Amino acid sequence: QFLTPFNFQNDRLGLGFWWGEHVDPVIGSEYGLEAFYKFQFARFMEVSPDLQLVMCLILTSLFLEA
């Protein structure tokens, strides 16, 4: 997480990666990437748009076969 991006004191910029393995080995694992930016408009008002990319290997292979 980056504090004070673009010199705005209360704004936040973040990037994260995650990975998880399913208990059923047939399903396999999934992983994802997330990016967000939090805008602080007023003392009690903020907006945080978020973008997520989630990949599941079994679902990806099923869509590629179709």
Side-chain angles (χ1 to χ4, degrees):
Q1 188 179 76
F2 300 99
L3 305 177
T4 66
F6 311 115
N7 268 342
F8 294 111
Q9 183 177 359
N10 294 318
D11 286 6
R12 301 288 183 261
L13 174 67
L15 183 66
F17 175 80
W18 57 270
W19 170 79
E21 193 169 316
H22 198 276
V23 293
D24 185 352
V26 174
I27 294 177
S29 60
E30 64 180 24
Y31 54 95
L33 182 68
E34 179 177 10
F36 75 91
Y37 191 88
K38 184 191 77 151
F39 299 94
Q40 183 82 38
F41 289 111
R43 185 173 175 190
F44 298 105
M45 187 172 88
E46 62 185 43
V47 174
S48 184
D50 178 83
L51 179 64
Q52 293 182 351
L53 173 64
V54 179
M55 297 293 296
C56 180
L57 298 179
I58 187 80
L59 293 177
T60 304
S61 63
L62 289 176
F63 284 121
L64 292 177
E65 289 176 6

